[in-house]
Amino acid sequence: MASPFRPALQLLCQYAEFHRDRRNIATHFVGVPMIMFGSLVLLSRPAFELGGLALSPAWLVLALVIAWTLSRGALALGVATSALWLVLAALAHAVPGGAWWAWGLGAFVLGWVIQFVGHYYEGRKPAFVDDLVGLFVAPMFVLLELLALAGFFKGLMAEVERQAGPTLLRDLAHPATR
């Protein structure tokens, strides 16, 4: 496994190489946030108080993830990704106590099912199989793809596509070997 402390561009390009089929990217728009949300719900219990603050394992893990995200050298994308994590964490902590396990596990598993459907279209295994850092790059990648559609991060998106290649629709009737 390569270092998790590579620059954002390098991480995004490596991740993008496993995500060139547009159908796979589309499934990631749904699957990745579901996995993020499900993980945060599952980590939202038990809650405990520390110095007057209500904390949970989710907030502690999130502090590390956000610090890592912001330190990859793409500050604006890091801030946007961190904001997404924080919104999902707030929603995760709002899940009622009696339903947290079902919501967390349900979102997590359904998100992965959607991801694996996308990788069927891609014809490749998920990026995290070779590099676990892909699990943390996925939210940045999905947000970059989404914001690029809205006209943001054009330079960064162009460089990712230059290095990883253009997106495509893989011919499932005559799949090419990768």
Side-chain angles (χ1 to χ4, degrees):
M1 179 168 62
S3 169
F5 299 105
R6 293 166 279 166
L9 178 61
Q10 186 179 354
L11 292 163
L12 290 164
C13 289
Q14 179 181 346
Y15 192 87
E17 290 172 4
F18 285 81
H19 302 87
R20 301 322 304 145
D21 188 286
R22 288 189 288 275
R23 294 165 293 198
N24 187 24
I25 293 169
T27 64
H28 281 57
F29 287 149
V30 176
V32 168
M34 288 183 76
I35 293 166
M36 294 166 69
F37 175 73
S39 299
L40 291 166
V41 170
L42 292 171
L43 291 169
S44 70
R45 308 298 190 282
F48 56 93
E49 193 170 314
L50 182 65
L53 293 174
L55 295 176
S56 70
W59 291 116
L60 300 177
V61 169
L62 199 54
L64 295 172
V65 170
I66 288 174
W68 178 85
T69 301
L70 292 173
S71 68
R72 299 303 87 225
L75 187 59
L77 181 59
V79 168
T81 306
S82 297
L84 174 61
W85 276 110
L86 291 170
V87 167
L88 290 174
L91 292 172
H93 283 82
V95 172
W100 74 276
W101 183 252
W103 272 94
L105 192 59
F108 185 81
V109 169
L110 184 56
W112 277 113
V113 168
I114 292 168
Q115 295 297 92
F116 285 115
V117 168
H119 279 279
Y120 165 77
Y121 289 117
E122 187 75 43
R124 293 187 77 166
K125 60 189 172 190
F128 79 87
V129 172
D130 290 332
D131 189 356
L132 287 175
V133 176
L135 294 171
F136 302 104
V137 178
M140 283 195 305
F141 175 80
V142 167
L143 206 51
L144 174 62
E145 288 281 346
L146 186 63
L147 292 172
L149 289 173
F152 299 99
F153 298 107
K154 289 182 181 184
L156 180 57
M157 191 71 230
E159 185 57 25
V160 168
E161 286 191 349
R162 186 188 73 72
Q163 290 188 36
T167 60
L168 52 87
L169 288 174
R170 189 172 72 98
D171 183 356
L172 298 177
H174 304 91
T177 306
R178 290 193 200 197

